[in-house]
Structure formats: C-alpha cells, structure tokens
Amino acid sequence: MLYVCAVLTPLTGWLGSSLERHTLHYFSVVEIPPFLDVYPKLASIMTTSHFYLSWLLIGSLSVHLLAVVYHHCWLKHNVLARMM
C-alpha cells in the first residue's frame, strides 16, 4: 500500500493540476506546463483522490513506523539493525 500511495499521490496531484490548467513548479526550478484541456469534473476527481491518497499514505507510513518500534522495543527483534 505504501508503494501504491507513493506513486498515485503525486500522479493524481499532477493530473489534477494539469486538468485545471495550472503550471506545475517543481522545487521552483523546473516548470511543467499543463498538457491537458480543462475538465472540471475530472479535475475534481483527481484533486479529491489526491487528498485522500495523501492521508492514506500518512496513515500507512505511521502504522509502518509504529510496527518497527513495536518489533524493536517489545519483541526485541533486530529490525532496525537490518534496516540500517
């Protein structure tokens, strides 16, 4: 789920911005012009899905980090040592 959200969140944000004819500023270095025509309903779907995918990504990452702490502190597994 982390990988799916990590890919779909920026993709839906980019498509939502492009469908609303906004230029994407990537770290204030690169400007990516919109490449699609204006579709308000599809843009609304993309921005709404971007919002919920962002929260799903934050939640999934939080659960993942809590699982690492649980395994390290309570179960005494070498999870952190293997990750480093």
Side-chain angles (χ1 to χ4, degrees):
M1 185 178 342
L2 285 171
Y3 289 122
V4 170
C5 287
V7 170
L8 289 181
T9 300
L11 184 63
T12 55
W14 178 47
L15 287 173
S17 293
S18 184
L19 288 167
E20 291 177 341
R21 302 296 291 168
H22 294 291
T23 301
L24 179 69
H25 299 280
Y26 191 69
F27 294 112
S28 299
V29 175
V30 177
E31 289 187 4
I32 302 172
F35 65 95
L36 298 171
D37 290 333
V38 176
Y39 294 105
K41 289 186 180 185
L42 188 56
S44 175
I45 291 170
M46 287 295 132
T47 53
T48 302
S49 61
H50 175 73
F51 175 78
Y52 288 116
L53 282 168
S54 299
W55 280 107
L56 184 62
L57 180 62
I58 291 169
S60 300
L61 186 61
S62 299
V63 169
H64 185 75
L65 292 175
L66 286 173
V68 169
V69 170
Y70 173 74
H71 279 271
H72 180 72
C73 293
W74 282 278
L75 298 180
K76 305 295 185 199
H77 292 160
N78 292 329
V79 174
L80 290 177
R82 288 188 306 189
M83 290 172 61
M84 302 288 178

